[in-house]
């Protein structure tokens, strides 16, 4: 001890990966304040990476599940939203720690530390999963455009979303902080819309005690005896962790100009952990708000008649995103309700598509050491998602939306274990992580989350594959 401060061992800086650093052009571009700066300044410098990750937990693919859960079971699955968010926090904290401790993102770790024969299967599965995620985000943005501007067909709206490639290319020219600022605005838009929906509009004020029981005191005995309740809960948990987020987070934390001594790395881990908890807590509140809004408006109803005379039925296989938009206005007595819903959906789709493109760059550079211009990377990713979306909608019409979302979830379920299991393997290794290896709490929480999500995905996979085959066969 010297002057009351412990002399921590100085770790040598992690060697640069053979293929170069993650996110070339953005790596190490955000300056950090001096070590003696105030804690709030330190935190603000590290704030951002987890915000980009959080949009994957409130993307359009999650909306339908949350809406269905609230409409059918009111607040009974609110605790599932909380538990799934907690598992997401554990895994993303571990992903950030891996990037900081090793100087590599998860894709680079898989390439450098796993057998060579795993490289191509892992890379191809990642690319397919990213395209599947992008498809869900395309559909969310397209539905929002179609809802806001009914004269634009859904097929045309899908084509319009292809031009958002220009958005990311423009943002990357201004650096990492500009990307984070735009995402912050989009996330704030989503949160603000739902705050108004629930707390400002008079007819949607929720009961605090009932919310508390749904979140903190669930009826577990009734839960496990209700097959439909368990099935929807599996959908919420199974769609919680996006595999590309685990690759992306371990790369985004390296956009800061990190010092390589042990105290500096430990400080970066501490602030990135705080960043992750704050950002994913916001994502939890957004998902919970979607469920609560659906519970207040739709629970106990099986249909609603619009002013035009059209009757909307709330069935098990309903397209809940479009149903919510069409029925919120008449049920709440104000057009503002539907408008806010569509604006939040559009913000969700656009924010998610930005992070999906960055994840694609991380995966390609990490697994294959391929360096291509960002506009080519974005164009390839977007075409892989847009082409099947346009084909399905052109052939089957608007009813193909749910089919496409089902297909995307099947792909994600197949790829998710290939991201989570290597993450936990590396993070638990003293050889790879050194003194920053995860402790007992994170090890237990991380492995439990990983195995539970994987088990639920595998359990639900046969039914999902059956549905996917029925979709592809045109049944």
């Amino acid at each position: 001890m010297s002057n009351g401060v412990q002399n921590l061992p100085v770790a040598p800086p992690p060697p640069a990966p053979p293929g170069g650093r993650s996110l070339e052009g953005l790596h190490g571009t955000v300056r950090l304040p001096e070590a003696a700066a105030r804690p709030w300044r330190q935190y603000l410098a590290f704030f951002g990476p987890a915000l980009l990750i959080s949009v994957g937990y409130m993307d359009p693919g999650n909306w339908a599940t949350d809406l269905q859960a609230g409409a059918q079971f009111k607040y009974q699955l609110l605790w599932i939203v909380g538990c799934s968010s907690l598992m997401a926090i554990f895994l993303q904290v571990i992903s950030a720690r891996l990037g900081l401790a090793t100087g590599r993102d998860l894709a680079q770790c898989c390439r450098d530390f796993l057998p060579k024969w795993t490289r191509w299967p892992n890379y191809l599965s990642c690319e397919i999963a990213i395209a599947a995620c992008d498809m869900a985000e395309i559909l969310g943005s397209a539905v929002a455009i179609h809802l806001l501007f009914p004269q634009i067909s859904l097929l045309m709206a899908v084509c319009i979303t292809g031009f958002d490639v220009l958005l990311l290319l423009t943002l990357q020219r201004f650096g990492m902080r500009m990307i984070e600022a735009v995402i912050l605005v989009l996330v704030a838009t989503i949160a603000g819309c739902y705050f108004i929906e629930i707390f400002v509009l008079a007819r949607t004020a929720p009961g605090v005690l009932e919310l508390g029981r749904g979140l903190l005191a669930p009826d577990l005995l009734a839960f496990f005896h209700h097959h439909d309740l368990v099935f929807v809960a599996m959908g919420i948990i199974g769609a919680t962790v996006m595999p590309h987020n685990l690759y992306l987070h371990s790369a985004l934390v390296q956009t800061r100009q990190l010092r390589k001594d042990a105290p500096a790395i430990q400080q970066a881990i501490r602030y990135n952990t705080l960043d992750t908890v704050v950002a994913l807590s916001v994502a939890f509140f957004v998902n919970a708000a979607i469920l609560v809004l659906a519970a207040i408006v739709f629970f106990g109803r099986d249909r609603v008649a619009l002013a035009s005379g059209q009757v909307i039925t709330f069935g098990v296989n309903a397209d809940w995103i479009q149903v919510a938009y069409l029925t919120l206005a008449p049920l709440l007595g104000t057009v503002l309700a539907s408008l806010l819903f569509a604006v939040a959906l559009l913000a969700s789709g656009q924010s998610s598509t930005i992070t999906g493109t960055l994840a694609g760059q991380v995966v390609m550079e990490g697994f294959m050491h391929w360096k291509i211009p960002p506009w080519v990377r974005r164009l390839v990713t977007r075409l892989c998602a847009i082409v099947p979306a346009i084909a399905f909608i052109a052939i089957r019409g608007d009813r193909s939306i749910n089919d496409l979302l089902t297909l995307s979830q099947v792909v994600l379920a197949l790829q998710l274990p290939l991201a989570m299991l290597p993450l936990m393997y590396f993070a638990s290794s003293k050889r790879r992580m050194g003194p920053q290896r995860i402790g007992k709490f994170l090890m237990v929480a991380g492995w439990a989350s990983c195995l539970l999500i994987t088990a639920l995905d595998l359990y639900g996979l046969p039914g999902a594959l059956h549905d996917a085959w029925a979709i592809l066969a045109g049944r």
Side-chain angles (χ1 to χ4, degrees):
M1 303 287 288
S2 175
N3 297 326
V5 179
Q6 184 179 3
N7 292 318
L8 297 174
V10 177
R21 298 298 188 182
S22 302
L23 292 176
E24 188 175 355
L26 297 174
H27 183 94
T29 56
V30 179
R31 298 184 61 184
L32 297 178
E34 301 79 10
R38 294 178 182 274
W40 65 268
R41 285 192 61 203
Q42 296 280 2
Y43 171 67
L44 288 179
F46 284 102
F47 174 79
L51 180 69
L52 270 68
I53 296 303
S54 71
V55 301
Y57 295 94
M58 44 184 157
D59 72 341
N62 291 325
W63 284 42
T65 305
D66 292 331
L67 288 168
Q68 181 183 3
Q72 293 184 356
F73 307 109
K74 204 171 185 180
Y75 304 136
Q76 292 185 63
L77 291 177
L78 194 57
W79 69 280
I80 291 291
V81 175
C83 288
S84 61
S85 298
L86 190 61
M87 289 189 288
I89 288 174
F90 291 144
L91 291 171
Q92 294 299 160
V93 164
I94 293 170
S95 174
R97 193 183 190 105
L98 176 73
L100 293 167
T102 65
R104 289 170 164 82
D105 59 60
L106 179 57
Q108 291 171 331
C109 287
C110 289
R111 177 188 171 93
D112 295 343
F113 305 141
L114 294 181
K116 288 184 178 181
W117 66 265
T118 65
R119 188 178 306 162
W120 272 99
N122 275 342
Y123 169 66
L124 292 176
S125 67
C126 285
E127 289 286 15
I128 294 171
I130 289 169
C133 286
D134 205 31
M135 184 185 294
E137 290 142 14
I138 285 172
L139 294 173
S141 297
V143 169
I145 292 171
H146 174 62
L147 295 177
L148 289 170
F149 306 99
Q151 64 272 23
I152 299 177
S153 68
L154 189 60
L155 183 60
M156 182 59 67
V158 169
C159 296
I160 290 173
T161 62
F163 292 99
D164 67 11
V165 62
L166 302 175
L167 173 62
L168 182 61
L169 294 177
T170 302
L171 292 178
Q172 282 190 307
R173 293 178 58 190
F174 293 98
M176 195 66 210
R177 287 309 243 178
M178 177 59 73
I179 296 176
E180 292 169 355
V182 170
I183 293 295
L184 178 61
V185 171
L186 292 172
V187 170
T189 300
I190 300 170
C193 287
Y194 272 99
F195 179 85
I196 296 172
E197 291 267 24
I198 293 178
F199 295 106
V200 177
L201 299 181
R203 299 189 188 184
T204 56
V208 177
L209 291 180
E210 197 172 7
L211 282 178
R213 284 195 298 270
L215 181 61
L216 302 174
D219 188 346
L220 296 180
L221 186 62
F223 172 79
F224 287 108
H225 282 82
H226 197 312
H227 178 268
D228 291 340
L229 203 66
V230 174
F231 184 77
V232 177
M234 284 175 54
I236 294 174
I237 295 176
T240 296
V241 180
M242 297 288 103
H244 67 274
N245 273 344
L246 300 178
Y247 293 99
L248 181 59
H249 202 175
S250 57
L252 288 176
V253 294
Q254 299 177 56
T255 58
R256 273 54 184 169
Q257 294 180 358
L258 299 169
R259 296 181 296 274
K260 302 303 182 181
D261 56 282
I265 293 175
Q266 193 60 40
Q267 180 192 53
I269 290 174
R270 183 168 63 252
Y271 281 117
N272 274 285
T273 298
L274 177 60
D275 185 34
T276 302
V277 172
V278 171
L280 293 190
S281 295
V282 172
F284 158 71
F285 283 114
V286 169
N287 281 310
I290 297 172
L291 186 150
V292 168
L293 181 66
I296 294 171
V297 177
F298 301 123
F299 182 73
R301 301 175 183 266
D302 60 0
R303 67 190 64 201
V304 63
L306 304 182
S308 62
Q310 180 184 2
V311 176
I312 304 294
T313 303
F314 304 153
V316 175
N317 296 319
D319 182 352
W320 280 105
I321 291 179
Q322 295 209 48
V323 165
Y325 176 80
L326 292 172
T327 58
L328 280 175
L331 289 175
L332 298 180
T334 172
V335 177
L336 182 62
S338 292
L339 178 63
L340 289 171
F341 180 86
V343 170
L345 178 61
L346 183 60
S348 171
Q350 289 303 295
S351 58
S352 299
T353 197
I354 291 173
T355 58
T357 300
L358 293 174
Q361 183 178 343
V362 168
V363 165
M364 178 178 286
E365 294 176 354
F367 277 112
M368 308 308 295
H369 293 175
W370 294 342
K371 308 288 185 181
I372 63 175
W375 69 270
V376 176
R377 167 72 242 182
R378 184 68 190 121
L379 184 61
V380 170
T381 302
R382 183 41 58 105
L383 285 177
C384 289
I386 274 189
V387 169
I390 290 176
F392 266 75
I393 294 173
I395 295 171
R396 302 188 184 183
D398 294 1
R399 68 185 181 89
S400 61
I401 296 295
N402 281 340
D403 292 345
L404 289 170
L405 289 176
T406 299
L407 286 173
S408 69
Q409 294 306 309
V410 172
V411 174
L412 292 176
L414 287 169
Q415 207 281 326
L416 191 51
L418 299 179
M420 290 191 299
L421 293 174
L423 171 68
M424 291 307 305
Y425 169 70
F426 297 136
S428 304
S429 170
K430 181 77 172 179
R431 179 184 177 188
R432 305 302 178 195
M433 298 285 288
Q436 279 78 37
R437 182 182 66 169
I438 57 175
K440 291 182 179 179
F441 174 76
L442 269 183
M443 193 172 296
V444 172
W447 276 111
S449 301
C450 173
L451 296 176
L452 176 60
I453 294 173
T454 300
L456 289 174
D457 274 342
L458 294 178
Y459 179 79
L461 189 58
L465 288 173
H466 178 271
D467 292 342
W469 175 250
I471 292 168
L472 294 173
R475 298 172 187 171

